[in-house]
Amino acid sequence: MGVTQNSGSTKGLKTTLVGIIASALLALIKALGGIFGNSYALIADAIESAADVFTSAMLWMGLKWSAKPPDENHPYGHGKAEALVAIGISVALMVAAGIIIRDSIFHIQRPHKTPAPFTLVILVLVILTKELLYRYVIRTGAEINSGAVKADAFHHRSDAITSAAAFVGISIALIGGEGFEVADDYAALLAGAFIIYNAYGIARPAIGELLDEEMDPELHDQIKSYASEVDGVRRIQQLRTRKMGTVYHIDLHVWVDALLTVREGHIIAHRVKDHILESVSQVQDVHIHIEPDSEPGN
């Protein structure tokens, strides 16, 4: 049978909690390191980690909401809450990027001290931790087919990359010495630009989901193939998909022999539905419309 929205959300919640705790600790470490180590790139990195905490908390609430069962006002369930959360994460990232870019420009225009060497140690720790988090979260997102969880994973990856940019900037400032202090700020500026790019990558599929964009063509063809395997099915038309969080709802027209009784056509429809649900784990429900085929066939 197909996976349930609730089972996927439960797994996503556990993963998100790990991300919240890790990001909160890293944000604190980076903020203190940036303040005492004279590194705005590290402070900018702390801002993004703080945004990680905020967006992961948003994801937590979204997953809880999306796991709610269908009701009278939401017959398809609440799965699209995930897409809304992904868009919220994207907006939060853009806001954080705007703050980082603004403050980077401010610091570039004003002389300041060279960052302390110990800030590099902090950044190495951050890069390793965030990359491990990315791999853990993206694996979960793929398993439960959650765009919001995948968005959270890419947020961790963006944090690792911005930390790497900060590492390069601080290294240049330390090696170059006097006159190269702004390398730290340029690294923060680059990080802000990358965050905006990443935010777009998160928002694009979420908007597609809200607008009921079609599923992956390969999966679409698989469903059509499975439906055609059922005895009595002459052809399949108008296969439409709707993503609801971690699962899909399918609508399709099944053509059968026009001489069949209503009961016989109904039985074929149920067989098609059951076969799809058993064969494609991402599908939660299938709505079938039987069409009469008057042409000679099997």
Side-chain angles (χ1 to χ4, degrees), residues 90 123 134 239 243 249 263:
S90 177
L123 286 168
Y134 163 77
L239 196 163
K243 191 169 187 290
H249 287 250
R263 177 180 175 80

Side-chain angles (χ1 to χ4, degrees), residues 8 11 37 61 63 112 138-139 192 194 228 232 244 273-274 289:
K11 194 166 188 178
M61 292 185 289
L63 289 172
H112 55 80
I138 196 67
R139 184 170 62 248
F194 177 79
S228 300
M244 302 293 294
K273 177 177 180 177
D274 292 342
H289 180 76

Side-chain angles (χ1 to χ4, degrees), residues 202-224:
I202 291 172
R204 172 62 187 85
I207 292 172
E209 182 175 337
L210 288 175
L211 297 177
D212 289 331
E213 190 173 71
E214 273 291 344
M215 64 165 59
D216 176 69
E218 184 177 346
L219 186 57
H220 185 281
D221 291 341
Q222 284 181 8
I223 292 172
K224 193 171 183 178

Side-chain angles (χ1 to χ4, degrees), residues 113-115 168-178 180-184:
K113 296 180 181 179
T114 301
V168 173
I170 293 173
S171 297
I172 292 173
L174 289 171
I175 295 171
E178 187 176 351
F180 285 84
E181 299 89 349
V182 292
D184 172 62

